[in-house]
Each structure stands twice: as C-alpha cells, then as structure tokens.
Amino acid sequence: EDQVTQSPEALRLQEGESSSLNCSYTVSGLRGLFWYRQDPGKGPEFLFTLYSAGEEKEKERLKATLTKKESFLHITAPKPEDSATYLCAVVVGSYQLTFGKGTKLSVIP
Amino acid sequence: DAGVIQSPRHEVTEMGQEVTLRCKPISGHNSLFWYRQTMMRGLELLIYFNNNVPIDDSGMPEDRFSAKMPNASFSTLKIQPSEPRDSAVYFCASSLDMGFHLYGYTFGSGTRLTVV
C-alpha cells in the first residue's frame, strides 16, 4: 500500500529560525510529488511539483527537494505569515494524489 | 478567475437527513475531484471525474454517497441518509488533465459538514 508520512506533526519556530519539513514515501512508480500549503478554513494551495530525484524548486523563502525516498521543504528565515499546514502528496497513476497528514508550522514573532 | 467555488461553506444537519454539496470548477478544467478531510484520516479522494464522466469512485465510503457531474461547470456530492461519522470538511478540486496533472489541483475552500 502506498504511504506518505510527514514529520514532524507540528513545528514551532521563532521568526528567522530556518528549518526543514520532511515527507517520506513508499510507493511504486512515483510520477511526481506535490507540496501544498493549507491555511485554516481554506483549501490546500499548490506550491511545487517535483518529478525526479535531485530536483529542486524554490519560491520565496521555501525550497523543496526530492530524493528517491523522501522530500524536504526547507524554510529559510521564516516569517509569521508562513504559518500554515504544509501537505505533501505523491502521484502514482495519472491522477491519484495520496496525501500525507501534514505538518502544522507556527512561526512566532 | 474566481477559482473553484463550493457551496455551502458550512452545513449542519440532523442524522438521517439528505445533504447536497455543490461545486463549480475552474472554467477549462476537464478533471474534477471530491475529497474529504478529517483529523484522523487526512485528505481522502472520494471520486474523480474526467470530462464529466466518473472514472474512479472507489473512495466513496458506501452507497449513501453519490456524486454527479451533469456538465463541465457543475458537480454535486450527495449523502443520503447522513450520519454523524460523515462530519468532515469536503473539498472539491479541479485540474487540467494533459496526460498528467502538471500543476496539481486547484482546491475550493471546502464545505464543513456537521451531522448531529
């Protein structure tokens, strides 16, 4: 069975304190890995797609990387507005996204 | 573009009642998904439509759940009869399928369903 595990479940950072979120997966035939951001009361918002090991994508203070077994979302010098739940999802077939349960990030001013 | 529009935003109903959730996908998107989100199980795919045709409904919990997509701009998810364990946030998402959903899905803001 395809599995996606995110860690930690929750993370509290001081403003400016860089860190990484982890997404490990056990799937057969990975076609892509997605990162989403979800704010309270809203739907997930697309951030990145990664397709192959070694690939990296950046957006503002966020950088996503992919290996054969896991993906990291690095947050550099976070700000309070980066507080959200970050979800990763893997694609095995052509459309089926299997989501992890997310990491709830809180950035304290 | 207004994005994916869901209604209602909140729904409180009594056990045994019928509930209908509605979704308007992004114009031009040919794929539509219904997801359910709970604390325990996270986001789960319920059903997937492509060009208005249901392709995969293996995630629909049981016969109490049904979904339709009569045209490219509208879909409904119906629960009849509703039960307290159906309480969750239901998301609709749409995407442009070019053989692979390159840009992920665009999610609506969800409907928070509470069955008492």
Side-chain angles (χ1 to χ4, degrees):
Chain A
E1 181 181 328
D2 299 334
Q3 286 202 347
V4 181
T5 304
Q6 292 189 244
S7 62
E9 290 186 13
L11 181 63
R12 286 172 61 94
L13 298 174
Q14 290 293 128
E15 184 172 359
E17 179 187 3
S18 301
S19 187
S20 295
L21 313 182
N22 177 263
C23 172
S24 63
Y25 56 90
T26 53
V27 300
S28 301
L30 180 74
R31 295 197 64 194
L33 184 143
F34 293 84
W35 280 98
Y36 283 84
R37 169 190 171 129
Q38 186 174 21
D39 292 296
K42 295 188 177 181
E45 177 186 347
F46 173 76
L47 292 173
F48 304 110
T49 308
L50 302 166
Y51 295 104
S52 57
E55 188 174 1
E56 299 182 350
K57 294 273 180 74
E58 287 189 64
K59 180 179 180 180
E60 296 181 355
R61 295 175 292 281
L62 300 176
K63 178 179 174 181
T65 62
L66 181 66
T67 72
K68 289 186 177 179
K69 295 183 179 180
E70 57 192 348
S71 177
F72 292 93
L73 184 65
H74 307 277
I75 303 175
T76 302
K79 298 182 178 182
E81 53 262 42
D82 295 322
S83 297
T85 295
Y86 290 85
L87 299 164
C88 77
V90 298
V91 181
V92 177
S94 64
Y95 62 88
Q96 173 74 285
L97 256 63
T98 300
F99 280 87
K101 293 188 177 179
T103 293
K104 184 176 181 180
L105 174 66
S106 301
V107 182
I108 312 302
Chain B
D1 196 326
V4 176
I5 300 173
Q6 291 186 245
S7 64
R9 286 298 313 275
H10 303 275
E11 177 79 44
V12 180
T13 190
E14 292 185 348
M15 182 174 62
Q17 296 298 306
E18 177 180 296
V19 176
T20 300
L21 311 181
R22 297 172 176 79
C23 174
K24 176 179 170 56
I26 290 175
S27 176
H29 281 187
N30 60 356
S31 295
L32 184 139
F33 308 83
W34 282 99
Y35 276 85
R36 178 170 67 177
Q37 187 175 41
T38 61
M39 291 290 292
M40 287 294 294
R41 301 175 68 88
L43 273 164
E44 301 174 285
L45 177 65
L46 298 177
I47 188 168
Y48 161 52
F49 290 90
N50 186 270
N51 293 320
N52 311 338
V53 176
I55 303 299
D56 182 358
D57 65 355
S58 60
M60 296 286 262
E62 47 199 271
D63 292 344
R64 298 184 298 106
F65 285 68
S66 62
K68 294 182 179 179
M69 192 165 186
N71 56 62
S73 59
F74 184 67
S75 177
T76 59
L77 178 67
K78 184 179 294 186
I79 308 173
Q80 166 64 17
S82 58
E83 296 183 2
R85 60 190 168 126
D86 302 329
S87 298
V89 181
Y90 290 81
F91 288 103
C92 175
S94 70
S95 175
L96 178 60
D97 178 6
M98 301 172 64
F100 179 59
H101 300 264
L102 293 172
Y103 304 107
Y105 307 163
T106 301
F107 283 80
S109 295
T111 294
R112 181 174 295 276
L113 174 65
T114 303
V115 183
V116 299

